[in-house]
Amino acid sequence: MSPDLPPVVPSVTAELVAALSPRLRKRLDAGVTKLLARPAVREGDTVRITVDDGTDVVLHAPGGTVTGADAIRCGCLLAPGCLHRAAAASAAPVADETVPPDPAGAAEETGTTEETGATTRPGRTSRTAQEETETATAEQRAAARAVSDAAAAVLEAGTDGAGAVLQAELLHAAHTARLAGLPRAWAAAVSVVTGVRAARSADPGHRLADLAGALAGVLGVAHRLPHATGPDLTELRGTVRQPYRPDGSLRLYGLFSEPVLTATGYAGAVTWTADADGRLYTVSDVAPGGPARATGAADRAVRIGDTALTHRELSRAGLAVSGATVSPTGRLGAGAGVRAVRASGVAWHAEPLDRLWAVPAAEQVTRALNGGRDLLFLEVTLTGTVRETTGDCLLADCAGLPLRLATAHDDPSLPHRDNLRLLAAAGGSRLRIVARLVPGPLPRALLLAVEHPADPAARVDLGLDRLQHADLPAGADTPPAAAVPTGDEAPLHLLRRRVHQAVSGGRRVLASAGSTSGDGARLRRLGLATAGDLLDDLHAAAADRSRDAFGRLLPADPDRFARAWLAAAVYTDAVERALCADAWGAAATEVSSPASLLRLRAGTGG
């Protein structure tokens, strides 16, 4: 996937790949690799790729996005049914058709939400009258089935085998779900394709755990939707865009800014602010682009009213807004009726921001695990560094709790990693930080912003500002990273490892000789009977191959394998969240019951 190419909507990629002959489909992955090695030149809304001396592929992207198949043209003799057009679409980031690139102002003119499926269709009961009895339409059930089949095929192959053809089939199913009024299934399927492409291209931002979560998300939605009714069905359908509702006048205080750089080809910045009661609001500037836009967006003026404040300035200043419109997640709109002027900011130790750090860490984690914001406002003492497989991270003491602080983004164009290395030299410093919770068996968070080590009245946005050695306390020196145990040796890792192996290597990895060890029995001996049963079931589903009357192996059942994998993934996530709550001393979260997992494995609702 190339950040130099404009995002392409899923339906375009699906259409171009479907038009290829079987012979060209077999050559598509090689064509994508070859095309990614060629230079792309942008001229306004047009991107030109030189395939060879006599052939160019041109992508026309008005507004930054390719929205039609005819917007990708090729000069070769086989066009328009050539390999080059499909390869260009498959190499480009997947465009987000659901939410505008910069969501500020979306749907705010009417103050309504565009909630797909909210209208009454023939054969359906009115939501306002009998919501509890409403069920998915035949069209939606068929779309969910298509998404499930396509996602199961991707899981069957693993990232190593899920090439451009399987990706296009999942994008086609996603487009079908969108047309059927299932934006949540659409978005989940697109996130899987994005994750697969990041894995196959060795993108530094790729995380196997994130891709596993995306696959579990799309398979879970597709599995549950046909059996859902009432409010559950409404949640599973999802919404196309969030509503922006009037919120009167606001007095906001800047907290910090963070860069945005996504695998889907969008980049920019988000600035976080808080009002006098501690409620959080965001101002975003996100559009198609790469690392340069992520680093440059901080110095662009915020899109609210007539203020000339940049994101970097707003993170330390304040804002007075009248006629404000706000989404349910706290994102500020930028409609014509919004007025905003610069106001004074305050330090993190001053009111009203000080109250954010007054909330106990356990309470903040409980809020995050129960669906609230995942930002943590903590006061810590830096104690050193620890070496992990993904790189070094800071060790800190948070009210007696040992905490690991990792970088929020590993892209070398962003200063996260360099700043973390410098902070390692500030051992013993007591600092206020803003971090993002990472659920797991150990207290862990992604470091976003810190109090300046030498000036408590100042702050450092770790994804945008670059610390210098002169900013550190006198005599600071970076200690060597300690190769301490990760602590992630809870028996659950025996199941988690297999869940992740399936995502990268596909069914064949778990079906191979020697993969069916005694881990299931070990889990049961250690008190995790459900985990042991799920692991055995996953291995059995991977190895299940029937034979025909002549003794020949029949194709594996990807649906059974997907159900077994989904049950294991759902259970692992639930237990890890419970372990996370326990590690932070937070309120316990609910773990999926064996009965519900058995229904999932059997293919029924629940």
Side-chain angles (χ1 to χ4, degrees), residues 405-432:
L405 299 170
T407 56
H409 208 297
D410 283 331
D411 192 284
S413 64
L414 301 175
H416 286 291
R417 180 65 63 185
D418 293 339
N419 285 334
L420 186 137
R421 292 194 186 102
L422 274 174
L423 284 172
S429 298
R430 187 163 182 81
L431 304 171
R432 285 191 168 184

Side-chain angles (χ1 to χ4, degrees), residues 323-336:
T325 56
V326 184
S327 78
T329 59
R331 192 161 49 208
L332 291 170

Side-chain angles (χ1 to χ4, degrees), residues 207 209-210 361 364-366 368-369 372-378 388 390 393-394 401-409 433-448 488 496 500 573 575-584:
R207 294 289 182 271
D210 293 342
Q364 296 185 51
V365 171
T366 299
L369 293 176
R373 292 198 183 279
D374 58 0
L375 290 186
L376 303 178
F377 300 90
L378 308 173
E388 298 183 336
T390 56
C393 70
L394 284 176
L401 192 71
L403 173 63
R404 298 184 181 215
L405 299 170
T407 56
H409 208 297
I433 67 171
V434 182
R436 181 165 283 119
L437 176 67
V438 178
L442 294 173
R444 185 181 181 87
L446 304 180
L447 197 55
L448 302 174
D488 190 18
R496 184 199 312 109
H500 288 178
D573 178 70
V575 173
E576 285 185 334
R577 293 170 71 83
L579 290 173
C580 176
D582 181 69
W584 286 87

Side-chain angles (χ1 to χ4, degrees), residues 15 32 44 48 65 78 97 137 151 159 414 435 437 439 489 557 571 606:
E15 178 183 344
V32 171
R48 184 179 302 274
T65 302
L78 295 179
E97 295 176 292
T137 66
T159 57
L414 301 175
L437 176 67
E489 291 302 321
D557 181 1
Y571 175 86

Side-chain angles (χ1 to χ4, degrees), residues 9 15 66 107 134 144 168 176-177 199 222 237 243 266 273 355 358 503-504 535 569:
V9 299
E15 178 183 344
V66 176
E134 186 183 18
T176 301
R237 283 183 182 137
Y266 291 93
T273 66
R355 69 184 60 186
V503 175
S504 59
L535 181 56

